[in-house]
Amino acid sequence: MRIAIRRAASAVAVLAAAAASSLVPLPARAADSTLVRTDAGWVRGETTDEGRQFLGIPYARQPVGDLRWKEPRPVKPWGGVRGAASFGNRCVQSASWDPGYENPSHTEDCLDLNVYAPAGRTAGPRPVMVWLHGGGLTAGAGEDIVPDTFARRTGTVVVTVNYRLGAMGFLAAAGLDGEASDGVSGNYGLLDQQAALRWVRANIGRFGGDAHRVTIAGESAGGRSVCTLLASPTARGLYGAGIVESGAYGDCAARERGPAVRDGAAFAKKAGCPDPATALACLRRKPAKDILAAQAGFDWGPVTGGAFLPVQPKEAYENGAAARVPVLNGANSDEGNLFAFARFDGAGAPLTAERYPGAVTEAYGPDLGGRVLKAYPLTEHASPTHAFGAATGDRMFACTALRMNTALAHRGPVYAYEFADRTSPPFASLRELDTDFDFGATHVNEVQYLFKHFGLASPLDKEQRALARQMEQYWGSFVRTGVPRADGGPGAPDQRTRPGQVLSLRTASEGGTGISTTVHDAHRCDLWDTVPAG
């Protein structure tokens, strides 16, 4: 199942972002805190009520023309001052139901990042968090969160990143293998992320950040990116900690090289380039909109087998080959409600009690389906859709997160959490829908407790705001020290010494944040640990 929930052509989707800011002459004074010199040239950001922000800074040469499906290259220096007061272009992607994404983007000139830094001086450089956005590796942009308040309250510098998506970011092909530095193509989007991290290492000190204290973080596909980078030898040394939010789905598995190349050939044929001898040149001549139109129906993600990702992430964790850095990893208690809603109620066909057994059997097959029906009886759930959603979320997110905790504990500290505020308001995309469906603590819902999601304030009540402040403290503490702590809250359990225990993030009326020892049982992981990850 795709992790990004995308509407059809009739659904709401994103306007292409404003073009990159034009260059202006270098002013006589360079002491302005919004004027910073990067290794490629000067940028001028702006001040806000929360601090300073620098938007749309290119971190690599734009992958257009002959650079389509090439590994990222250093950005070309510019003269004068580059304006950094507006976001850069979003990478190529379809329309979606997310606010501001009403139209598709066909723009390949998109390898930009955004820097948010608190105002004022400190005794030393500030720790840095680099956020990788979600969207199923086919959608989204760095601008999907605005972390300026988080940066101010936690005393950190936050960087958000655009990276290539879908076929533009993850096409594997025999011809492209020959161009890849490690002989394995299909990892352009993740290589973009590594290029952004190298930019951070070279430049973040000029924004007040500490290049030696960098935490990589992300939600959904962004979390999957983090768990992939943890296993990538070519990312080693670019970060010192990782945060994985709802990113362990599928056990963070990458595509194998052979099937990925075969999919690439099928994609080329679908895109109108069937001759293997000329397919690559043909694809590079295609307009971005044609590439986008052909990418539906294929699995887009990283490819294993080369220097970038020699083995599957789970294997790297278990054999000690993954980075030995602290990790904060978790999921939400009701992850699957979003996907079940999209499949049934959101499609105008709410799941009924009569149709529930058939839907489960269709999803899982007759043997596993029978076990699922016993584990998720309708009498224990608010509706058939919620029962289906519970099974979906447990298989895809809750149990894979717990398995990842166990695997990660072989190589260093791993702190486990579960976002369990079932009273949480639907995140911004869902609030625009005309529905009274109870999503609970569903996929993506925790993001609005940490940042302005899509730049919008979330309608949190008093208790939820208190939980949000506590979560800011846990996340901020982890970015600063590698250990998540919060005033008045328990320490997050380190899986090396407290395996299976989880920091349960809840509002006061739900009992408050505490330590849970029942998450494995609550999510029926005895069942899901015996079947392939969903």
Side-chain angles (χ1 to χ4, degrees):
M1 183 185 296
R2 289 182 62 195
I3 301 307
I5 302 294
R6 297 288 145 186
R7 282 187 176 178
S10 61
V12 184
V14 37
L15 291 168
S21 301
S22 58
L23 302 182
V24 296
L26 181 66
R29 294 184 62 192
D32 184 352
S33 65
T34 61
L35 184 65
V36 175
R37 184 173 186 174
T38 72
D39 57 2
W42 292 90
V43 295
R44 183 183 292 281
E46 60 184 358
T47 58
T48 71
D49 292 341
E50 301 290 355
R52 298 178 297 153
Q53 62 183 30
F54 304 81
L55 311 178
I57 304 174
Y59 65 83
R61 198 173 305 178
Q62 300 305 332
V64 299
D66 292 340
L67 295 185
R68 180 188 283 181
W69 297 307
K70 290 287 181 71
E71 295 170 16
R73 301 183 180 184
V75 65
K76 288 184 176 180
W78 58 82
V81 177
R82 185 183 186 93
S86 59
F87 294 114
N89 299 313
R90 295 163 177 162
C91 293
V92 175
Q93 60 190 279
S94 300
S96 83
W97 64 359
D98 292 329
Y101 281 75
E102 292 81 10
N103 298 309
S105 173
H106 300 137
T107 309
E108 295 176 74
D109 180 352
C110 65
L111 297 188
D112 301 325
L113 53 74
N114 314 297
V115 179
Y116 299 84
R121 297 184 179 275
T122 59
R126 300 177 187 272
V128 179
M129 184 176 76
V130 177
W131 180 264
L132 305 172
H133 67 80
L137 300 178
T138 61
E143 67 186 273
D144 290 352
I145 68 160
V146 175
D148 52 357
T149 302
F150 177 92
R152 175 180 61 80
R153 289 178 174 172
T154 60
T156 60
V157 175
V158 182
V159 180
T160 67
V161 179
N162 288 358
Y163 53 91
R164 281 174 282 183
L165 303 165
M168 291 299 189
F170 299 98
L171 177 65
L176 290 174
D177 281 352
E179 297 179 359
S181 59
D182 64 355
V184 176
S185 58
N187 290 312
Y188 309 104
L190 275 291
L191 291 171
D192 291 343
Q193 295 174 7
Q194 292 190 6
L197 289 171
R198 292 187 177 92
W199 183 95
V200 168
R201 183 175 60 185
N203 293 283
I204 204 64
R206 305 174 192 191
F207 297 84
D210 188 342
H212 301 292
R213 286 196 293 166
V214 174
T215 297
I216 52 176
E219 184 272 339
S220 194
R224 180 186 179 184
S225 297
V226 173
C227 72
T228 303
L229 293 175
L230 289 171
S232 173
T234 58
R236 205 67 49 81
L238 296 176
Y239 58 88
I243 300 175
V244 180
E245 300 178 27
S246 306
Y249 58 90
D251 287 329
C252 203
R255 297 180 294 165
E256 296 291 340
R257 180 182 180 186
V261 169
R262 289 194 292 274
D263 278 353
F267 167 79
K269 184 176 181 180
K270 183 179 178 182
C273 301
D275 184 354
T278 60
L280 183 53
C282 173
L283 287 171
R284 283 191 167 131
R285 290 194 299 268
K286 291 283 183 181
K289 64 181 181 63
D290 293 349
I291 300 297
L292 182 61
Q295 76 177 30
F298 294 94
D299 178 25
W300 302 109
V303 181
T304 189
F308 166 78
L309 193 63
V311 298
Q312 290 288 354
K314 189 170 185 289
E315 181 181 347
Y317 305 154
E318 293 174 340
N319 68 19
R324 296 181 178 275
V325 301
V327 174
L328 175 62
N329 176 49
N332 299 350
S333 60
D334 305 308
E335 293 271 7
N337 283 346
L338 172 63
F339 303 98
F341 171 83
R343 182 168 181 167
F344 300 112
D345 300 51
L351 188 58
T352 63
E354 293 75 20
R355 291 176 51 225
Y356 178 63
V360 169
T361 301
E362 180 184 359
Y364 298 107
D367 294 336
L368 179 57
R371 297 165 65 192
V372 171
L373 288 171
K374 290 180 180 179
Y376 297 88
L378 292 180
T379 54
E380 295 183 6
H381 300 276
S383 73
T385 301
H386 285 91
F388 193 95
T392 300
D394 291 353
R395 183 187 188 184
M396 293 179 64
F397 297 98
C399 299
T400 55
L402 293 175
R403 290 200 297 270
M404 183 176 173
N405 290 338
T406 300
L408 285 169
H410 288 280
R411 32 107 330 249
V414 53
Y415 302 95
Y417 80 88
E418 180 175 71
F419 175 75
D421 179 13
R422 290 187 168 89
T423 73
S424 58
F427 65 90
S429 306
L430 299 179
R431 292 200 298 271
E432 295 189 353
L433 302 179
D434 183 19
T435 179
D436 58 0
F437 186 86
D438 182 7
F439 289 97
T442 195
H443 191 62
V444 188
N445 249 24
E446 89 287 0
V447 175
Q448 63 186 321
Y449 282 61
L450 295 166
F451 318 111
K452 298 167 188 168
H453 200 201
F454 300 109
L456 303 173
S458 181
L460 303 181
D461 63 24
K462 182 178 179 180
E463 285 195 355
Q464 291 161 350
R465 289 195 299 273
L467 176 59
R469 184 70 185 101
Q470 187 179 58
M471 289 173 62
E472 281 181 345
Q473 291 181 358
Y474 278 118
W475 266 243
S477 169
F478 184 78
V479 173
R480 292 190 304 271
T481 69
V483 180
R485 298 187 180 93
D487 295 340
D494 185 341
Q495 301 303 289
R496 296 175 301 174
T497 56
R498 299 163 68 185
Q501 296 186 30
V502 173
L503 179 71
S504 182
L505 298 162
R506 302 185 299 259
T507 56
S509 62
E510 294 182 309
T513 293
I515 303 300
S516 173
T517 60
T518 62
V519 172
H520 187 276
D521 292 340
H523 292 290
R524 311 294 193 271
C525 294
D526 281 343
L527 166 63
W528 298 117
D529 289 347
T530 66
V531 300

